Amino acid sequence: MSVNTDRYENAAARYFEAWNATEPEALKKAVAAAWAADGGYTDPLADVRGHDGIAAVIAAAHEQFPGFFFRPLGAVDGHHDTARFGWELVSEADGSAPVAGFDVVTLDSEGRIRQVLGFLDRVPAQA
């Protein structure tokens, strides 16, 4: 495995750690580890910058989908300072995955996320 591949996979692993953190302090630490201080997150439902804004979006997702976790869907792919990967939101109770998407991230020189551009591929009607 190349150094660059490790860089993309490590960034994605920190990203999922942040999205799966449910306790406020753990979420704050995970977001700081994954994103640059001025990092951003944009998807069809949100457009925020900074750690506090990103943590608020993640907390809102957990409020809307209690008992769910995010998991990677397929491999992480990347080049230069950009990586892409799929994901799905999975119920701990029954394993269903009503939400799925695809994210493209840009990384800073330390491998932390500068920007996420998220796309939703599968969303329940009530969301």
Side-chain angles (χ1 to χ4, degrees):
M1 186 177 297
S2 74
V3 172
N4 281 341
T5 300
D6 286 346
R7 180 176 183 232
Y8 307 132
E9 289 180 359
N10 289 340
R14 287 191 308 273
Y15 177 84
F16 284 107
E17 184 176 334
W19 275 96
N20 286 319
T22 56
E23 297 300 318
E25 195 58 35
L27 175 56
K28 182 178 177 180
K29 283 181 160 183
V31 167
W35 270 269
D38 63 344
Y41 178 86
T42 303
D43 72 14
L45 306 173
D47 186 12
V48 297
R49 292 209 78 69
H51 292 171
D52 290 342
I54 294 163
V57 167
I58 293 170
H62 286 287
E63 286 176 22
Q64 185 175 4
F65 294 96
F68 282 74
F69 66 95
F70 290 85
R71 74 174 170 203
L73 190 58
V76 178
D77 184 27
H79 62 81
H80 295 85
D81 291 330
T82 305
R84 64 180 180 161
F85 49 86
W87 55 267
E88 57 187 0
L89 184 62
V90 181
S91 168
E92 293 174 357
D94 65 12
S96 64
V99 182
F102 190 88
D103 291 349
V104 176
V105 302
T106 55
L107 305 175
D108 67 11
S109 62
E110 297 175 5
R112 293 189 344 184
I113 298 169
R114 287 188 304 198
Q115 181 65 42
V116 175
L117 299 175
F119 296 86
L120 301 174
D121 298 325
R122 182 173 62 234
V123 180
Q126 74 276 14

